[in-house]
Amino acid sequence: MKRIDAARLRAELVRPVGPYARLDVVTSTGSTNADLREALVEGAEDRTVLIAEEQTAGLGRRGRTWVSPSGAGVYCSVLFRPAGVSLAVLGSLASVAGLALMDLARELGVRAVLKWPNDVLASDGRGKVAGILAEAAASEEQGVILGVGLNVTPSREPVEPGPGGLPPAALSDLGARTTDRTEISRLLLTSLHERESAWLAGAGDLATAGLLEDYRAHCATLGQEVKIMIAGGEKLLGNAVDLDRTGALVVETNTGARRTIFAGDVVHLRPVSG
């Protein structure tokens, strides 16, 4: 598969013509998120982008491996330094990335949905198309590393299903109008800029930013009976009934009590009957 064209992306997306401060494409790295965490400490600017043709130690949530074979996907991380956004709501940036991926899917003619908190699924249930990992990082000024792993074409090697038994699915399997990874990267980063700009103007509040209703509309988790594995080993069963202004999931248990869940592994059990 043709390599991602870094020169074209810089010409269209990097200042002064575009919103990003720097954009690099590397042949191989362990993890683009890990590389940008180091760059943050070294003073890298807001909106620094790193894309890899291959990751040898790509990470998903809770330290899981994200399989990132050479030439088969877009493995991209962006460093944001969101001035004016409190630490308590930085996690909502993952919801922003989810909406950017929905914009991308629409542009490519792919039917996809969001699975809370950080997955993009084929709407026909065929599998997981993309994963998102947002990591707050400490430095003299706060920063967030936002990573996206997107399957463009199928991996040549077998991939183990993730939590909930979801196999990987690729854009090419779902009828995408193009599998040109340079064009896909351009579309994704353009949408991410637009969505993040609204989020920043709303100080990280999804409702104020005008993003919450859009996320609700795309989120297949809402209206589902779910099982959630929470850090520490707790399991919660209930109905996913809402999302709050920070992107946290509101679950109603069988006792009628409501709990707000900020992070966890979610398994969709079945739709809640109306």
Side-chain angles (χ1 to χ4, degrees), residues 40 46 78-83 87 90 93 134-146:
L40 173 72
D46 178 40
V78 184
L79 163 60
F80 291 106
R81 296 182 181 272
L87 183 63
L90 284 182
L93 194 54
E135 299 180 290
S139 67
E140 290 184 4
E141 54 184 290
Q142 71 181 15
V144 182
I145 312 298
L146 184 66

Side-chain angles (χ1 to χ4, degrees), residues 211-233:
L211 302 175
L212 183 57
E213 285 305 316
D214 205 359
Y215 192 95
R216 285 172 173 151
H218 288 292
C219 183
T221 303
L222 293 179
Q224 296 273 355
E225 185 178 355
V226 295
K227 177 172 69 174
I228 305 178
M229 281 72 76
I230 304 168

Side-chain angles (χ1 to χ4, degrees), residues 73 75 102:
Y75 319 118
M102 290 294 97

Side-chain angles (χ1 to χ4, degrees), residues 57-69:
L59 293 177
R61 288 184 59 253
R62 301 176 72 174
R64 295 191 183 91
T65 299
W66 176 270
V67 178
S68 313

Side-chain angles (χ1 to χ4, degrees), residues 3-67:
R3 289 177 57 86
I4 296 171
D5 186 340
R8 179 187 158 197
L9 291 176
R10 288 191 195 105
E12 298 191 37
L13 294 172
V14 173
R15 298 169 190 156
V17 295
Y20 293 97
R22 177 172 176 169
L23 187 152
D24 292 303
V25 179
V26 296
T27 301
S28 181
T29 191
S31 160
T32 54
N33 263 34
D35 290 349
L36 284 191
R37 281 200 304 274
E38 291 184 11
L40 173 72
V41 173
E42 293 167 2
E45 292 183 71
D46 178 40
R47 300 185 180 213
T48 294
V49 181
L50 180 63
I51 302 172
E53 291 281 346
E54 171 192 51
Q55 291 183 121
T56 57
L59 293 177
R61 288 184 59 253
R62 301 176 72 174
R64 295 191 183 91
T65 299
W66 176 270
V67 178

Side-chain angles (χ1 to χ4, degrees), residues 82-86 89 92 96 194-211 245-246:
V85 178
S86 72
V89 297
S92 63
V96 174
E194 293 168 356
R195 295 290 193 171
E196 190 267 346
S197 295
W199 175 83
L200 192 60
D205 183 308
L206 295 175
T208 302
L211 302 175
R245 304 171 77 94
T246 69

Side-chain angles (χ1 to χ4, degrees), residues 30-268:
S31 160
T32 54
N33 263 34
D35 290 349
L36 284 191
R37 281 200 304 274
E38 291 184 11
L40 173 72
V41 173
E42 293 167 2
E45 292 183 71
D46 178 40
R47 300 185 180 213
T48 294
V49 181
L50 180 63
I51 302 172
E53 291 281 346
E54 171 192 51
Q55 291 183 121
T56 57
L59 293 177
R61 288 184 59 253
R62 301 176 72 174
R64 295 191 183 91
T65 299
W66 176 270
V67 178
S68 313
S70 179
V74 171
Y75 319 118
C76 174
S77 295
V78 184
L79 163 60
F80 291 106
R81 296 182 181 272
V85 178
S86 72
L87 183 63
V89 297
L90 284 182
S92 63
L93 194 54
S95 302
V96 174
L99 288 173
L101 283 161
M102 290 294 97
D103 296 340
L104 173 67
R106 183 178 63 252
E107 287 278 349
L108 297 177
V110 167
R111 293 175 59 84
V113 294
L114 294 168
K115 174 176 177 282
W116 189 90
N118 66 336
D119 292 338
V120 176
L121 310 181
S123 60
D124 61 5
R126 223 181 302 183
K128 177 175 172 176
V129 182
I132 300 159
L133 180 62
E135 299 180 290
S139 67
E140 290 184 4
E141 54 184 290
Q142 71 181 15
V144 182
I145 312 298
L146 184 66
V148 172
L150 175 64
N151 302 323
V152 177
T153 55
S155 172
R156 292 182 291 272
E157 302 296 327
V159 178
E160 288 293 320
L166 289 170
L171 293 175
S172 61
D173 298 329
L174 305 176
R177 66 170 176 81
T178 183
T179 56
D180 181 321
R181 292 178 304 131
T182 303
E183 175 66 2
I184 289 169
S185 298
R186 184 189 71 80
L187 290 169
L188 174 60
L189 288 166
T190 299
S191 290
L192 182 59
H193 159 62
E194 293 168 356
R195 295 290 193 171
E196 190 267 346
S197 295
W199 175 83
L200 192 60
D205 183 308
L206 295 175
T208 302
L211 302 175
L212 183 57
E213 285 305 316
D214 205 359
Y215 192 95
R216 285 172 173 151
H218 288 292
C219 183
T221 303
L222 293 179
Q224 296 273 355
E225 185 178 355
V226 295
K227 177 172 69 174
I228 305 178
M229 281 72 76
I230 304 168
E234 182 186 358
K235 293 182 181 179
L236 177 69
L237 289 173
N239 299 326
V241 295
D242 202 3
L243 294 156
D244 76 6
R245 304 171 77 94
T246 69
L249 185 68
V250 180
V251 177
E252 187 174 282
T253 68
N254 56 11
T255 66
R258 290 195 171 196
R259 285 189 59 182
T260 300
I261 308 299
F262 295 94
D265 288 328
V266 174
V267 177
H268 292 176

